[in-house]
Amino acid sequence: MLNLSLRSIFALSSASAVALATLSSPVAEACTRAVYFGKERQTVTGRTMDWAEEMQTNLWTFPRGMNRNGGLEKGSLEWTSKYGSVVASIYEGGTADGMNEKGLVANMLYLVESEYPAETDTRPAVVITAWAQYLLDNFATVEEAVKEVEQDKIRIVPVVAPNGSKGAVHLAISDPTGDSAIFEYVNGELIIHHGRQYQVMTNSPTYDQQLALNKYWESIGGTVMLPGTSRAADRFARASFFINACRQSADPREAVASVFSVMRSVSVPRGISVEGQPNISSTLWRTVSDQKNLVYFYEGTFSPSVLWVDLKQIDFSPEAGVRKLTLDGYPDTAGNQSKNFKPAAAFKFLAPE
C-alpha cells in the first residue's frame, strides 16, 4: 500500500507528455465528482453517474446496528453498522453513492485500470458493490477511514456488472471538514491519496496522472481555455476550475445550486455513447450532498425535478429498519422525500458467481 498524501505531482513537462499520450489511448467509464468549499464550513460534494444503460437506481435508508458482510458466502469481512446512511443503489445490488448521518460521503466511480488483489489472497473480502457501504457504515470522518483502510487488512473483490462491463472502480470519500481521500487498486496494490486538495475525481487515467493533466490546464488558466469533450481528463480539468471559480458561499441554497451547476456542466447529454469507449456514456443521475446541513439531493436526468432527503428527519435507530424510496419507474418524484421511504428488505450485494 502506498499513501500519496505528500507526493508531489508531475512537473508541467511531464503533464504535457501524459496529456499527449492520453489523447491517443482508450478511455474508461464515466462519472465526475467534486467537493465545494464554501464559507463558514459549508462543504458540499457533487457527482454524476454516467453509464450506457439505466441502472434501476433507487434510494435507501440503512439504520445503525445492521449486521453486514462483504458479499461473499465464505471469507467475507463481517461488521455491524455504526452509522445510518442514505444511499443510491445500482442494479438493486450495490451502493454507488451516499452520505451517512455524520456527513461522510462516498462516491464510487469507474476506473478501468483497476487491478485488485489475487483470488488466492486470504484476507477478509469485500465485493466492490459493498465497498462504499462498508465505509459509510463504519466511519465518521475521512481521517478515521484512512487510518483503518491504510492498514490494508481486507481484500476488495471485483464484480462484473449485469451488462457484462468489467468490475473496475475507485472510491472517493469526503467529510464536513472538506477532507478527502481517493482509494485505488493499481497492479494489485492499494493507493491512497489523502488530503483536502483532492477535490475532484473522474476516471482514467489513474489519479496521479489525472493530477498531472490538470496541472497542465491550470497553467493555461480556465478563463483562457478549457478542454470541452466528454473524456475523463477533460471533465477533470473543467470540474477542477468550475468548483473553485463558482461563488463560494455560506448560504446552503447558493452552495447546493453552485455544485449542481458544476455537475451539470460536466454531464454527458442523454443518448450519447461511443462503441468501445464506455466512458462516453450518458449522465443518468446526479447527487449533491450538503455535508454541513446533512441534506442529500438527487436529480435523475429523465426527471424534470430535484428531490432531496434531510437526514435529520430520518430515524436511523436499529428499530427503524431498512427503508426504500422507489425511483425506478417513477421519474416525477420530487421535493422533500424524507418521510416517504417504505419498509423493505435490504438488497443483496452483487458478487462473483
Side-chain angles (χ1 to χ4, degrees), residues 153-295:
K153 295 187 297 186
I154 64 175
R155 173 172 66 97
I156 300 299
V157 178
V159 180
V160 175
N163 68 355
S165 295
K166 176 184 176 182
V169 301
H170 53 174
L171 192 63
I173 58 174
S174 59
D175 66 25
T177 71
D179 195 11
S180 282
I182 312 295
F183 304 119
E184 296 181 339
Y185 281 87
V186 180
N187 297 321
E189 181 182 19
L190 174 64
I191 307 295
I192 302 176
H193 303 261
H194 178 207
R196 185 179 171 90
Q197 68 271 34
Y198 302 122
Q199 280 178 273
V200 175
M201 184 172 83
T202 56
N203 316 107
S204 292
T206 54
Y207 199 68
D208 57 345
Q209 295 182 52
Q210 289 188 34
L211 293 172
L213 287 163
N214 192 57
K215 193 69 174 178
Y216 169 76
W217 286 108
E218 284 179 346
S219 70
I220 296 173
T223 58
V224 176
M225 181 176 65
L226 285 170
T229 78
S230 296
R231 297 171 64 91
D234 289 4
R235 287 184 280 107
F236 191 104
R238 294 203 306 278
S240 295
F241 174 73
F242 289 141
I243 200 67
N244 292 300
C246 64
R247 184 178 301 170
Q248 308 297 300
S249 176
D251 178 4
R253 182 178 289 269
E254 178 69 35
V256 167
S258 295
V259 176
F260 262 121
S261 69
V262 173
M263 304 324 296
R264 290 167 183 149
S265 76
V266 295
S267 294
V268 181
R270 289 183 64 90
I272 292 180
S273 63
V274 177
E275 185 176 355
Q277 296 187 12
N279 86 311
I280 313 296
S281 298
S282 301
T283 297
L284 302 180
W285 46 263
R286 293 174 280 262
T287 63
V288 170
S289 299
D290 179 346
Q291 293 159 272
K292 180 178 181 179
N293 299 291
L294 298 178
V295 183

Side-chain angles (χ1 to χ4, degrees), residues 294-338:
L294 298 178
V295 183
Y296 185 74
F297 296 85
Y298 177 95
E299 180 184 47
T301 57
F302 197 58
S303 172
S305 305
V306 174
L307 65 87
W308 60 90
V309 182
D310 187 339
L311 275 68
K312 300 183 297 300
Q313 298 180 19
I314 301 296
D315 181 2
F316 288 116
S317 68
E319 296 76 22
V322 176
R323 292 179 174 266
K324 176 182 178 180
L325 179 67
T326 302
L327 301 181
D328 185 32
Y330 294 88
D332 293 332
T333 305
N336 188 348
Q337 297 294 315
S338 306

